[in-house]
Amino acid sequence: MKSKLLILLMMPLMACVLFACANTNSGARIHPEAVTGTPNCTECHTDAYAAMNHQAVDFFKKHSIFATNARRSCNSCHAESFCSDCHAHKEELKPSVKYSEAVERTMPHRGDYMSQHRIDGKMNPASCAKCHGRQNNERCVTCHK
Amino acid sequence: MISHQEESSGRGKSGLLRTAWVVLAASSVMLAQPVLAADYTITGSSNTYLRMTRTISKDDLYPLYEYLRFSVSTAEKDGSSVSLHLGAWGRLDLVDKSSDHYTDGDLQYGFLSYQGAKNNLVVNVGRQFVTEGVASERIDGLYARSDFAAGFTGAAFVGQPVVTDPSYKGGDYIYGGRVAQGKTGLYTIGVSALRNESDVARDREEEGIDVWLHPVKQVDLTGRSSYNSITSGWMEHAYTLSVAPIDAVTLSADFSRINYSDYFYNVTTTAFALKNNGGVLDPNEQLTTYGASAAWTPKKDLTVAAEYKKYDYDIQGSGDYVGGKVAWTAPGALSLGGSAHRMIGDSERLRYYDYRLYALKKVGHAELGLDFYNVIFDRPIDGVKSSFALTGIAGYEVTEKLKVGGDVEYSQSPDFDREWRALVKVAYAFDMKTGEKGGKSEK
């Protein structure tokens, strides 16, 4: 019991020491240049940020890892609403309906998705469950009771 | 269906109220800040949508939606900042008022954030979206992350899970965190954990490893493996390797493996439930996918790509998805693109072609576009072999802040025969800033 208490007391202390020792400068809170459209980050960046090239054919697959590792970088261009447009816990309008004019963007469920969802759901239900498995599934429950 | 179901609408409402109180109390302090701070930025938007659509039982619906987003942030001279972010929507059906659901709405996010000038310190409180390793969750609670010495970063969160399905209790508490070690621009390796529980049940217990390797400019590897401690099995492995041998060419390969019994544990709808839990998915099924793509950018704004993906099921059989796409985007002027794919699966449902063509032209303050999406099934579904949606798009920028637009869609599918839908939207952006430069928008 005493050892557990000691560990609990030591952990915040250790965190404070490690925090003080890190002394890194925080990343830019707002991207220094206004960016429009779907940016090709390699035009300016030659470091790891170049990997976040939004025009890359595999950017959509990798964006969750970037959001984990560099959320602050995402936030330097995107407001919180950008995430919630797709990653909602309760949403009735598809992103492709809200932003039909953004034809170049990768958006889920374009066109008539009522029939297509049966195919995609059979092909890879995990891809559906990532967003609709535990939340944002009120429409699913309408039929899948 | 699911062992942890309980009536929880009351809990959801009380949680929402608590969040609203915290955010409002904090914002009252926060809103005084811009006046005092050296630099402040206010961004916000109002997006109004009127949708004209029809249910599968041919009832007309005219839902009117309003999305309001608002952020205010102060920048202190030491580089730190405090900000408040609010986003919510409401809906009123203008025609069908026959059910209790003719109005609805939701607080999507509402949190107060502190960002430190050093160590990428972030502390958020309120309703927020947390992305830390295995966690990709919306919570009502507290989140903190920081850099530490020797390339370590740490993040932790605790709160109530935000779930909306009225028949599901998503657990009373959710908490977790991630510790990562890395060298900026070279590699990051993280371990993360998530617990979601109530007094009576272990809803979720997940651990994960994630990597981001960027050893040289031309090579980038990202991926994650997640483990379910309740079922004692790996839920998913998913990794993507990108190689750019020359600036104009990107090659990509990806691999994923999903174990259904571990991945679909304790989901909230029968659509994703396992057979032994009242659903349709076979718990013994395992899906392995392999993919490869090659993209060529012969000139700026033009991309030509070919892609292939193999779906390999232990029980169901397999499927191959192959195709390509072309996209040309001149920002602010013209977007043209198209794609074509073929799915060849062992089961009849997994045999089809899909095509997409789109064009959007901007002329002065106006924009006009067309978007066509078509799926041709090898075997007709409910007598329909070709399912398509053709959308005409129009928009006009009245002022820099006010934009009006809309679209009309004509579609045919197994569920809808020659169906028309329309949408009118009005978007207004309000920004005010002093001192700070750069770009950030609510879109």
Side-chain angles (χ1 to χ4, degrees), chain A residues 10-83:
Chain A
M10 287 294 287
M11 278 177 69
L13 192 66
M14 281 285 290
C16 289
V17 170
L18 288 169
F19 179 82
C21 293
N23 200 30
T24 58
N25 287 321
S26 295
R29 202 166 47 79
I30 296 180
H31 197 276
E33 296 291 331
V35 177
T36 56
T38 306
N40 180 351
C41 306
T42 60
E43 285 179 12
C44 296
H45 294 280
T46 54
D47 54 10
Y49 292 115
M52 297 182 191
N53 173 15
H54 291 36
Q55 292 179 11
V57 70
D58 54 6
F59 176 76
F60 192 70
K61 285 179 214 158
K62 297 164 74 167
H63 81 285
S64 70
I65 294 288
F66 298 146
T68 284
N69 282 282
R71 179 79 179 267
R72 189 161 174 145
S73 303
C74 305
N75 290 346
S76 71
C77 287
H78 296 296
E80 188 66 20
S81 56
F82 188 84
C83 301

Side-chain angles (χ1 to χ4, degrees), chain B residues 317-366:
Chain B
S318 64
D320 298 275
Y321 189 66
V322 60
K325 51 189 168 189
V326 180
W328 188 56
T329 304
L334 181 66
S335 291
L336 284 174
S339 64
H341 294 90
R342 169 66 170 156
M343 180 75 186
I344 314 166
D346 285 347
S347 69
E348 285 186 331
R349 184 65 68 83
L350 295 184
R351 287 174 173 271
Y352 63 87
Y353 295 89
D354 69 57
Y355 306 96
R356 183 172 176 237
L357 287 169
Y358 64 81
L360 188 88
K361 172 74 177 164
K362 294 189 180 180
V363 185
H365 293 288

Side-chain angles (χ1 to χ4, degrees), chain A residues 29 58 81 91 123 137, chain B residues 67 138 242 268 313 436 442:
Chain A
R29 202 166 47 79
D58 54 6
S81 56
E91 182 61 90
M123 201 159 68
N137 57 22
Chain B
Y67 282 73
R138 202 160 286 275
S242 311
T268 60
Y313 306 89
E436 289 188 303
E442 285 291 331

Side-chain angles (χ1 to χ4, degrees), chain B residues 93-135:
Chain B
D93 197 294
L94 300 180
V95 174
D96 182 12
K97 295 187 171 63
S98 58
S99 78
D100 291 340
H101 301 293
Y102 79 91
T103 60
D104 206 348
D106 187 45
L107 175 68
Q108 294 177 300
Y109 57 90
F111 63 95
L112 191 64
S113 178
Y114 171 77
Q115 296 190 33
K118 292 284 184 184
N119 300 343
N120 289 305
L121 176 67
V122 176
V123 180
N124 294 341
V125 61
R127 175 165 292 187
Q128 59 194 295
F129 182 48
V130 173
T131 52
E132 288 292 345
V134 287

Side-chain angles (χ1 to χ4, degrees), chain B residues 15-70:
Chain B
L16 185 61
L17 278 174
R18 265 200 303 276
T19 304
W21 269 114
V22 169
V23 170
L24 283 173
S27 61
S28 61
V29 177
M30 175 68 206
L31 289 173
Q33 282 286 92
V35 183
L36 306 172
D39 295 328
Y40 68 92
T41 306
I42 297 173
T43 59
S45 65
S46 159
N47 288 277
T48 309
Y49 304 92
L50 174 61
R51 205 168 184 216
M52 287 152 266
T53 185
R54 189 176 278 187
T55 66
I56 204 161
S57 52
K58 306 288 182 195
D59 295 322
D60 288 329
L61 294 175
Y62 291 83
L64 179 71
Y65 291 90
E66 172 62 27
Y67 282 73
L68 273 175
R69 275 79 183 263
F70 173 78

